[in-house]
Amino acid sequence: MTALHLLVQMARNSAWANDTLFDVILPLDSRVLHLPRPVFFGSIIATLNHIHSVDLFYIDALEGGGLGREVYTAQDFDAVDQLAKAQADADARLIAFCEALTEQNLSDLRRTERPDGSFEERVDALLLHLFQHQVHHRGQVHGLLSHAGVAPPQLDDFHLEYGRVPSAAAYWG
């Protein structure tokens, strides 16, 4: 498997994991999602909004969109169905970006706007960071669902043949 194929698979895995997570979250009462929880962002919905907004920040940087930190001025979603749709759209953009990559693109630099200035980062490093960020915070939502008395979905049965859940097949390439 090449580095390019691995990055595409990570983007597909992220889309599948988000869809799987939202399948469990969509039927929940809004109060469960907004209830204060013992986590950095304070609730399930706030953590999901954080994942989405950071995805938009990095996808914009990778695409060279130039929005920078302006992506954070958008209103967070209160309605989980709207957030699920917006996340699916972001996931599709990330998959398309990864599918269009070439070996030469991996070392290209992209500008990211930080509170203390503008920094250039390699495309491959930005992608790896983004995937790690997503996994980190989806894990928090997984724990928050348990805290709320909701059975969280299995999110790690994507890459291996053994145990791959049927829903992952639609995302595998």
Side-chain angles (χ1 to χ4, degrees):
M1 206 179 285
T2 67
L4 292 173
H5 185 71
L6 286 171
L7 292 171
V8 170
Q9 287 303 94
M10 288 301 297
R12 290 176 179 165
N13 175 67
S14 182
W16 167 79
N18 286 330
D19 282 352
T20 301
L21 193 58
F22 276 109
D23 282 348
V24 170
I25 290 170
L26 279 164
L28 297 178
D29 187 284
S30 179
R31 292 174 295 190
V32 172
L33 301 176
H34 289 84
L35 189 69
R37 304 262 179 213
V39 69
F40 186 77
F41 296 102
S43 70
I44 293 171
I45 194 78
T47 304
L48 292 168
N49 271 297
H50 171 74
I51 293 168
H52 177 251
S53 64
V54 171
D55 281 5
L56 292 180
F57 175 78
Y58 284 110
I59 293 167
D60 177 71
L62 289 163
E63 293 174 340
L67 293 176
R69 297 188 60 77
E70 287 180 39
V71 300
Y72 296 121
T73 62
Q75 187 84 348
D76 281 345
F77 293 92
D78 284 327
V80 72
D81 60 332
Q82 293 174 352
L83 179 54
K85 169 73 170 93
Q87 184 63 61
D89 291 345
D91 291 338
R93 285 174 60 195
L94 183 58
I95 291 169
F97 178 83
C98 289
E99 288 177 339
L101 282 171
T102 66
E103 285 290 334
Q104 294 76 25
N105 297 135
L106 294 178
S107 60
D108 287 353
L109 297 176
R110 295 293 191 269
R111 184 167 308 282
T112 58
E113 300 299 326
R114 307 296 182 165
D116 55 344
S118 179
F119 292 88
E120 288 190 334
E121 301 280 0
R122 288 174 52 119
V123 165
D124 52 4
L126 285 169
L127 285 167
L128 291 173
H129 175 77
L130 177 56
F131 296 137
Q132 179 61 36
H133 181 267
Q134 294 167 336
V135 168
H136 171 71
H137 288 297
R138 275 194 305 263
Q140 289 176 337
V141 173
H142 193 273
L144 291 172
L145 287 171
S146 292
H147 185 264
V150 176
Q154 188 72 24
L155 296 177
D156 62 350
D157 289 334
F158 183 83
H159 294 287
L160 298 179
E161 294 286 334
Y162 176 82
R164 184 177 301 141
V165 295
S167 64
Y171 294 86
W172 243 87

